[in-house]
Each structure stands twice: as C-alpha cells, then as structure tokens.
Amino acid sequence: MIVGVPRESYPGERRVSLVPAAIPSLKKTGLEVVVEAGAGKEAGYLDGEYTDKGAKILPTRNDVFQAADVLIQVLSHGSNDKTGKNDVPLFRRGQVLIGFLRPYGSLETIEDIAAKGVTSFSVELMPRTTRAQSMDALSSMATISGYKAVILAADTLPRLFPMMTTAAGTLTPGRVLVIGAGVSGLQAIATARRLGAVVSAYDLRPIVKEQVQSLGGRFVELPIEAKDAQDAGGYARAQDEAFYKRQRELLGKVVAENDVVITTAVIPGKKSPVLVTKEMVSGMAPGSVIVDLAAERGGNCELSRGGETVIEHGVTIIGVYNLASTVPYHASQMYSRNVTSYLLHLVKDGKLNLNTEDEIIRETLVAKDCEIVNVGLRQFYSLPAIAAQTPGRSPQ
C-alpha cells in the first residue's frame, strides 16, 4: 500500500501530516510513502529529509492523489472550508482518507467524500481511551493551542506575567483565568504558571479540581451544579440556557478580577456557549486580554469575531483560530505520531483492517462504499439506521 502526503491547501496552514521521522516505522510494515514536493517546507521539514528516510517526492498534488492508496491530511474537506472541495474530484473509489473532517459541521462535506467511494476516517472521533491515547490528534492539537493562547495573551497584555522585585519597586504578577479545564485549558494553566502568573480556572466538572490544583492553579467553585457534567469520553456536556445564564451571573466578578481570560469551551456540532458577556467585558480593566479558543464556533465571548482581534471597552479580544498551525514544527511532529500510530493499528500485513468490532476503528470510520456508516453521525443528522450495524460514537 502507498501512503500519500499532499501539501496542506488551507490558506495559511503550515503543518504537514507526516514528518520524515515517521517513515521508517511505516516502511517496516510494508507501506510506501509518497510526498508532494514542498509539503513539509512550512513546518521546517525539507524534501531531502523525506527522501533520506525512504519516501518518494512527487511534483504535483494530482500525482500524489493518483499514486496513493491511503491519503493522510491535517485539514481535509470539511475542516478545510476554503479549498478542501478542490480535492473531491481528485479522490478515487477505494481510496482511504484520514484527517480532520469536522464530521459534525456539515453533512454535505462528508457526503461529498462518501459519494466518491472513499473510505474516510475522522481523527476527531478518536475515543478517549487508554488504547487510543497515542492516536488522539484532537488532544495533541489542543495542547498546542492552550500553550499558544497564553503566549498570545502575554505578548498582548501591557504588563508582565511574573512578579518581579526590582530597584524600581515590586511589580505585581498578572492574573489569568482559564475557563474550561480540558486538554487546552490545562496546558494554558501550566504555561501561564511557568510564566509566573497567578492562575485560576473554572470548569463545570468538579472532577477536574485536582488536575487544576496539581498544576498550581486555584479552582474557582461557583454555587451552581451542572447536571451530567461529563460524558463517558471525559468531555464536558452541554447544559441548558438556564444553567449558562446563572453561570454568567456568577462568573462576572471572577472575570473582572483578572487581567487575562482564556476560554476553551467547544461543543462538537453546536454553537459554543457564551460564557463571557459584553457586560462582563466592560467590567474588566482597560488593557485586559481575552483569548477565545472557541471563536471558530461562534465564541465563548459575546464580542468575539472569528479569525479577528478586536478591542472593545479597552479590552483586546483575540478570536484567531487554528493556533496549532502557528507552531507547525511541533504540531506536525505530534500529529504525525498520532496518525502513524493509527495507521499501524489500521493496517495488518500490508492490508487495511476494517474490523468494526474494534472500538477505535468503529468510532472513527465515517464512510465506506459510498455510504455514511458511523452510527453517531447518522443519528446526529437524522439519517435512517443501517440494518445490523454495530453502534458507534454518539454525538457530543
């Protein structure tokens, strides 16, 4: 089987789906690797490094699509809403596609891929289990985003993060509030603490309190309790509007006490809940910073604008997304390890293994033989059930 690595086509995307160091382990299993010329350049991986490890460089994107049995991408059609559709005519029946597909974002995009007869796997649907941990690309990219959110905030804030005692006096430390203690939130806490800030965090799941405290953060406890706060996969569950309204009322004072607020609440397939209102923003000190990691899904801050940085009431609100792409070398390295582990799990004796009794395969498989086969997706889009199908992942 031939694994193809096309150059990422989303505007400004600098990651690559496979780094040279991953190639020897794939070749040991009988897989050959072809790479589009220049695919890794923006991430710091040159063509010569790929050929040194045994890959073949092909001159054009079309050449890669024609040669490959398995295509691995970072942003595939669906997650790439700018140029991803241009890949659809290049697909051929029987090909395998692995990448971020954003399956809960649009039925049309996953139907486009299915209609071409492509067997597609969405890395976002990876179950959060010990077996799948090495394949969890969503967590890897969230780690990068949490780190970079703090760096952006520190660069924008007109004051220093750490406390300093100098000949000119003592400088008080910056105060950072992280809302949402998932993977990105925990990394943000750790990074802000390393930079010397006083960090607090809020999450509707009380179970994460110990994780926050272990990183040196203070856990904010509000007199409000969420129902079924966490699902089986460890993600926070969406709550009703009455809960979010009460949550906003209680969080207002906490937000006003901080110089930086980083929000991370993203719900797949749904608009992000508003956690920071315009009234809360107006109560923050001038020069404060909000980094909204949910901006692409509408934003946790009412005043966020997706893909933009704006100033409201003297507060800088950073709504940029795809932060992992801004740290392309290590983001590519982490993603490559994830998809390599996944490929080695999928391929046995040089052939694709589609054993849907395996939870990892069943839950990540989106489409096969021109049909969407993932049970969770069919339920989410109200498609009729497929007879005798093993249950898959439910929407979150």
Side-chain angles (χ1 to χ4, degrees):
M1 294 181 70
I2 298 175
V3 176
V5 181
R7 189 170 187 163
E8 293 298 310
S9 64
Y10 185 85
E13 178 56 65
R14 298 166 62 195
R15 289 170 291 180
V16 64
S17 59
L18 195 72
V19 301
I23 294 172
S25 61
L26 296 179
K27 289 182 71 67
K28 284 180 181 177
T29 64
L31 297 173
E32 296 297 322
V33 179
V34 297
V35 180
E36 183 182 354
K41 182 179 179 181
E42 292 295 315
Y45 302 98
L46 302 180
D47 289 350
E49 297 177 65
Y50 284 99
T51 54
D52 287 346
K53 294 295 185 180
K56 182 179 180 181
I57 301 297
L58 298 181
T60 71
R61 189 178 197 81
N62 188 56
D63 290 334
V64 172
F65 274 74
Q66 285 188 347
D69 301 300
V70 179
L71 289 161
I72 55 173
Q73 295 180 292
V74 181
L75 301 181
S76 304
H77 180 43
S79 58
N80 179 355
D81 58 358
K82 303 295 184 183
T83 59
K85 199 172 183 67
N86 296 337
D87 286 341
V88 176
L90 303 179
F91 290 129
R92 69 172 189 274
R93 188 178 185 89
Q95 257 180 338
V96 174
L97 173 66
I98 299 171
F100 282 104
L101 304 182
R102 196 182 293 164
Y104 289 112
S106 165
L107 176 60
E108 180 184 356
T109 57
I110 56 177
E111 285 184 331
D112 285 345
I113 297 171
K116 296 290 291 187
V118 173
T119 300
S120 57
F121 295 89
S122 175
V123 296
E124 296 101 317
L125 302 182
M126 189 66 64
R128 300 193 78 181
T129 62
T130 302
R131 285 180 65 233
Q133 198 168 31
S134 65
M135 312 172 202
D136 190 355
L138 201 61
S139 290
S140 292
M141 297 305 100
T143 296
I144 300 284
S145 296
Y147 161 84
K148 194 56 185 283
V150 175
I151 302 302
L152 281 175
D155 186 51
T156 306
L157 190 70
R159 60 187 299 165
L160 299 175
F161 266 30
M163 181 180 75
M164 291 187 182
T165 301
T166 75
T170 299
L171 307 179
T172 57
R175 301 182 66 87
V176 176
L177 171 66
V178 178
I179 302 179
V183 175
S184 58
L186 291 172
Q187 185 57 233
I189 294 167
T191 304
R193 286 289 297 136
R194 284 194 289 265
L195 291 179
V198 174
V199 183
S200 55
Y202 169 74
D203 195 291
L204 58 83
R205 299 166 297 165
I207 195 171
V208 302
K209 179 179 179 178
E210 289 186 8
Q211 296 177 59
V212 170
Q213 293 175 330
S214 71
L215 294 171
R218 179 180 70 88
F219 188 71
V220 176
E221 298 186 76
L222 302 180
I224 180 174
E225 185 175 345
K227 298 178 181 179
D228 299 323
Q230 181 170 293
D231 65 19
Y235 294 97
R237 287 188 187 275
Q239 302 293 308
D240 59 27
E241 183 54 34
F243 174 87
Y244 288 125
K245 182 179 179 181
R246 178 60 176 156
Q247 184 186 65
R248 289 192 292 267
E249 292 172 357
L250 296 169
L251 270 177
K253 183 179 179 181
V254 181
V255 167
E257 293 172 347
N258 286 273
D259 306 303
V260 171
V261 175
I262 296 173
T263 64
T264 69
V266 178
I267 302 171
K270 297 183 180 179
K271 188 178 184 297
S272 300
V274 173
L275 306 176
V276 179
T277 64
K278 56 186 178 183
E279 289 79 17
M280 293 160 73
V281 174
S282 67
M284 298 180 74
S288 298
V289 178
I290 296 172
V291 182
D292 191 344
L293 292 181
E296 190 174 8
R297 288 285 185 179
N300 296 143
C301 176
E302 188 176 6
L303 298 177
S304 292
R305 295 181 192 170
E308 299 181 31
T309 297
V310 298
I311 298 177
E312 300 283 354
H313 306 291
V315 177
T316 301
I317 304 166
I318 301 174
V320 296
Y321 41 81
N322 199 21
L323 283 181
S325 179
T326 66
V327 192
Y329 184 89
H330 281 123
S332 298
Q333 185 182 92
M334 294 173 76
Y335 185 77
S336 177
R337 287 176 179 170
N338 295 145
V339 295
T340 298
S341 296
Y342 188 44
L343 268 173
L344 295 177
H345 183 78
L346 278 176
V347 177
K348 303 296 181 186
D349 300 321
K351 296 181 180 179
L352 186 68
N353 169 35
L354 284 183
N355 175 20
T356 54
E357 292 184 4
D358 183 310
E359 179 189 28
I360 292 173
I361 295 173
R362 181 179 69 244
E363 296 201 6
T364 54
L365 179 61
V366 173
K368 180 178 178 290
D369 298 330
C370 298
E371 187 168 32
I372 296 170
V373 296
N374 186 281
V375 171
L377 289 174
R378 295 190 72 87
Q379 293 172 348
F380 183 79
Y381 290 113
S382 300
L383 300 175
I386 299 176
Q389 187 176 9
T390 305
R393 185 173 187 160
S394 297
Q396 298 176 15

